[in-house]
Amino acid sequence: MRPVVSLFTVLATLLCLPPLVTPVALAQKEHHDPLTEAQVEKIREAGIDPNERIKLYTEYLNDHVGAVKSLSNRGKSEARAIHLDRELQDVATLIDELGSNLDEYSDRHADIRIALKGLADASQRWLITLKALAGEEPFDLSRKEAIEAGEDLTDQAQRLLREQSDYFALHKDEKGQERAEPKPQ
């Protein structure tokens, strides 16, 4: 004879289990592109112009950090927390993509000083906004990752600006180039 399990026993058992999926966890598992198709297309078109590409990333990051700032002023709610978590993830993702672009342009000695000046200033403003946002459980990890990525990018932009200023002071003939060209022997 099999034991009979009452509906009450099943419900009591389920209520005692920790929640397996929270709305924030669901939001984090979805793949989300931080850029619209139009923004991606603009970046593709600017691919041959490093300064323009950096300016576009800077503009798009300004938009996302602006959204974070706007959301930080709203009353606490689950929807706000989910939206902040997504925006902070977008900020970290875009910062990482921009950092990779800077590495590539630096390796090929592209003259990106014009865009670096704007980026260095903007990245410091982003950090002020991100650090001013009080950490809350649903988005605290994303906030910390965005701050860490922002600090790395700020350091990278300032370092590259110094390196580029020194490099192009010695290599005046390469000023304004998009990539290092082999010198004739």
Side-chain angles (χ1 to χ4, degrees), residues 66-99:
V68 168
K69 187 173 187 174
S70 173
L71 287 165
S72 68
N73 296 328
R74 293 188 185 169
K76 293 181 182 180
S77 70
E78 187 174 328
R80 172 188 169 265
I82 291 170
H83 199 98
L84 267 169
D85 187 58
R86 174 167 284 165
E87 287 294 338
L88 290 165
Q89 288 178 31
D90 289 351
V91 167
T93 298
L94 288 172
I95 286 174
D96 289 343
E97 286 179 26
L98 179 52

Side-chain angles (χ1 to χ4, degrees), residues 10-51:
V10 171
L11 287 175
T13 304
L14 288 175
L15 290 174
C16 292
L17 293 174
L20 299 176
V21 179
T22 64
V24 172
L26 281 175
Q28 290 176 341
K29 289 185 179 187
E30 295 174 11
H31 174 70
H32 171 73
D33 192 346
L35 298 175
T36 66
E37 282 300 316
Q39 290 171 330
V40 170
E41 187 59 33
K42 278 186 169 181
I43 288 175
R44 277 190 201 119
E45 290 171 4
I48 60 169
D49 183 354
N51 280 299

